[in-house]
Amino acid sequence: MAELSKVITPDFSMNFFKFGTGINTLVIIPGLSIQSVMGAANAVEAEYSSRIKDNFTIYVFDRREAIPENYSIHEMAYDTIKAIKELGLKDISLFGASQGGMIAMVMAIEYPDLIKKLVLGSTSSHIKPEQTKVIEKWISLAESGDVHALYQSFAKEIYPEKIYNEYKDFFSNISNAVTTAELKKFIILAKAIIGFDISDDLKKIKCPTLAIGSFEDAVLDSDATMEIAENLDYRQDFRLYMYIGYGHAAFDTAPDYRDRIYEFLTN
């Protein structure tokens, strides 16, 4: 069972959960979501095999509570680092998915001594105008308060068609529980993605890095992962893997995804 907790710093509080009993530390930064991943802690824990949990203690961090207006990706990264340091975590492996990958890249650039290995899933170092269409649609739906349409659009864009159709009614049902506060938070976090660009700083990443993308990424498109690869593939310790058929959320849908992470982190 995942253990839910909260780290309190002088400036903010941040929820997280942890599971696993290994001596190594893996920190996970989840992507943009309409509702916090904290409510799905046990479901997340169940996706990780016993060999991962036997070798790693895994921490999954939320964004800070009471986020400010105009909260940038860089500020998210700095706050996550503060939370990690408050817990005394060192020499960590770091996995960031989607917006979490953007946060993870900033962390690796700004705090290279803290991060041992880096895994980037379906993310981007440079959000170009043509890659903002989906994000802007979500922001518009959230601002209009159309939670049902937002949840359906969100799920339809991140999951393959087969999975979306299978769970369409589920997404409709859970959309009824979304609060006004959650919508406001989603809007702030989504807006932070627009204009994000650290491509010029990618070569400052010092640790071994694995980038995992999907050729059918309907949110950021596959070019986003390939641009990261173009900046880092001169290094012997960089690895790239591209999925076919699993969509933007390959980190949730590809059955061997966590095995690939494990093999990279332990070899």
Side-chain angles (χ1 to χ4, degrees), residues 69-144:
E69 297 283 350
N70 302 314
Y71 190 41
S72 71
I73 301 284
H74 283 76
E75 289 169 321
M76 296 176 207
Y78 299 149
D79 285 345
T80 306
I81 286 290
K82 289 177 188 174
I84 287 171
K85 289 185 173 180
E86 189 73 27
L87 292 173
L89 306 181
K90 299 177 181 177
D91 201 26
I92 67 171
S93 294
L94 180 62
F95 168 45
S98 196
Q99 185 184 66
M102 301 174 200
I103 295 169
M105 283 184 281
V106 174
M107 292 168 63
I109 290 165
E110 300 290 340
Y111 301 91
D113 294 339
L114 182 66
I115 298 163
K116 182 166 61 174
K117 286 193 175 184
L118 176 65
V119 181
L120 304 170
S122 299
T123 194
S124 175
S125 63
H126 181 196
I127 302 296
K128 300 171 184 175
E130 61 269 23
Q131 294 169 326
T132 65
K133 292 177 182 176
V134 172
I135 308 294
E136 288 171 342
K137 179 182 178 183
W138 293 344
I139 292 169
S140 178
L141 289 170
E143 289 178 334
S144 70

Side-chain angles (χ1 to χ4, degrees), residues 165-232:
N165 288 332
E166 184 177 349
Y167 290 97
K168 188 168 15 178
D169 291 342
F170 169 76
F171 298 129
S172 181
N173 290 335
I174 61 174
S175 68
N176 295 323
V178 177
T179 66
T180 301
E182 287 172 331
L183 272 185
K184 181 180 178 182
K185 186 173 186 177
F186 175 83
I187 292 166
I188 293 171
L189 295 177
K191 285 182 175 180
I193 295 172
I194 297 173
F196 177 73
D197 184 4
I198 55 163
S199 52
D200 289 343
D201 292 328
L202 278 177
K203 288 183 170 60
K204 294 179 182 178
I205 295 175
K206 302 300 182 186
C207 59
T209 301
L210 166 64
I212 308 177
S214 172
F215 282 115
E216 301 86 9
D217 189 331
V219 180
L220 297 174
D221 80 41
S222 60
D223 287 348
T225 301
M226 299 309 293
E227 183 172 355
I228 293 171
E230 287 166 7
N231 279 275
L232 295 178

Side-chain angles (χ1 to χ4, degrees), residues 18-93:
K18 72 174 182 175
F19 57 92
T21 57
I23 60 171
N24 302 296
T25 301
L26 171 60
V27 168
I28 297 176
I29 313 296
L32 175 70
S33 59
I34 301 168
Q35 294 173 293
S36 170
V37 72
M38 295 298 111
N42 288 330
V44 172
E45 187 269 344
E47 292 296 320
Y48 285 78
S49 66
S50 58
R51 69 170 181 165
I52 298 178
K53 291 182 280 192
D54 288 345
N55 282 278
F56 289 89
T57 299
I58 302 168
Y59 293 77
V60 181
F61 285 92
D62 202 357
R63 309 297 186 261
R64 67 182 282 176
E65 293 185 306
I67 64 172
E69 297 283 350
N70 302 314
Y71 190 41
S72 71
I73 301 284
H74 283 76
E75 289 169 321
M76 296 176 207
Y78 299 149
D79 285 345
T80 306
I81 286 290
K82 289 177 188 174
I84 287 171
K85 289 185 173 180
E86 189 73 27
L87 292 173
L89 306 181
K90 299 177 181 177
D91 201 26
I92 67 171
S93 294

